[in-house]
Amino acid sequence: QMRGLVFVLLVVAIAAAEPASHARSCSDYKNCPKCSAWSTTELQCGWCASEQTCIPGSMLGPHQGNCTSWDFAFCQGEPCGVYSACFQCVQDPFCGWCASDLTCVEGTQEGPLFGACEQWEPYAVSESCSSLRELDEPELMTLMGP
């Protein structure tokens, strides 16, 4: 009975020590694809490849400090397969979303570079799942995770 009481007190102490809701910050994301997914949100995250950190910024660079290799909205030099969601994929000018396969692959406005795709959604086309569409945080969390 004493063990049960100690366990309950321990659980209550741990729960009290944790914040009720963790406010998201760019530093929560440890790789370029997850970081860049938050570029169009109010977090405005960008990936500093030279430092391997996710920090607030814009297309022009970090809001504070310098970064010699800056990625914002998409990850330069990464294969298209790193993107797990359409809205991310179509922000990269070298990628397109194959909706019929639910994959991001290298391509042009006309279609994938290799193979075929029945439902092609290219970079920067307003009818696609487009970078113009902003996702709310719950939808983004479902797609990208913490």
Side-chain angles (χ1 to χ4, degrees):
Q1 193 173 16
M2 185 63 150
R3 281 188 189 164
L5 180 59
V6 170
F7 178 74
V8 169
L9 289 175
L10 182 60
V11 169
V12 169
I14 291 171
E18 293 179 359
S21 66
H22 171 70
R24 295 264 163 238
S25 72
C26 295
S27 62
D28 292 338
Y29 305 98
K30 307 299 180 196
N31 62 48
C32 185
K34 286 194 176 194
C35 177
S36 66
W38 295 86
S39 63
T40 60
T41 69
E42 57 186 44
L43 288 179
Q44 297 182 317
C45 298
W47 181 251
C48 182
S50 52
E51 301 293 325
Q52 295 290 293
T53 57
C54 185
I55 53 179
S58 70
M59 290 300 276
L60 302 175
H63 288 321
Q64 295 180 344
N66 294 315
C67 177
T68 57
S69 181
W70 179 248
D71 292 318
F72 190 82
F74 69 95
C75 304
Q76 297 178 49
E78 292 284 349
C80 297
V82 301
Y83 304 117
S84 58
C86 182
F87 77 95
Q88 277 186 290
C89 179
V90 298
Q91 290 184 61
D92 190 318
F94 302 103
C95 302
W97 184 255
C98 183
S100 47
D101 296 338
L102 300 177
T103 57
C104 184
V105 296
E106 286 72 13
T108 66
Q109 294 291 331
E110 287 75 43
L113 290 179
F114 310 104
C117 176
E118 291 178 25
Q119 295 176 303
W120 181 246
E121 299 197 36
Y123 163 75
V125 172
S126 61
E127 296 86 43
S128 72
C129 60
S130 169
S131 56
L132 301 175
R133 177 175 164 238
E134 288 194 21
L135 299 176
D136 61 14
E137 188 168 329
E139 188 176 10
L140 198 56
M141 288 302 299
T142 300
L143 289 169
M144 299 310 302

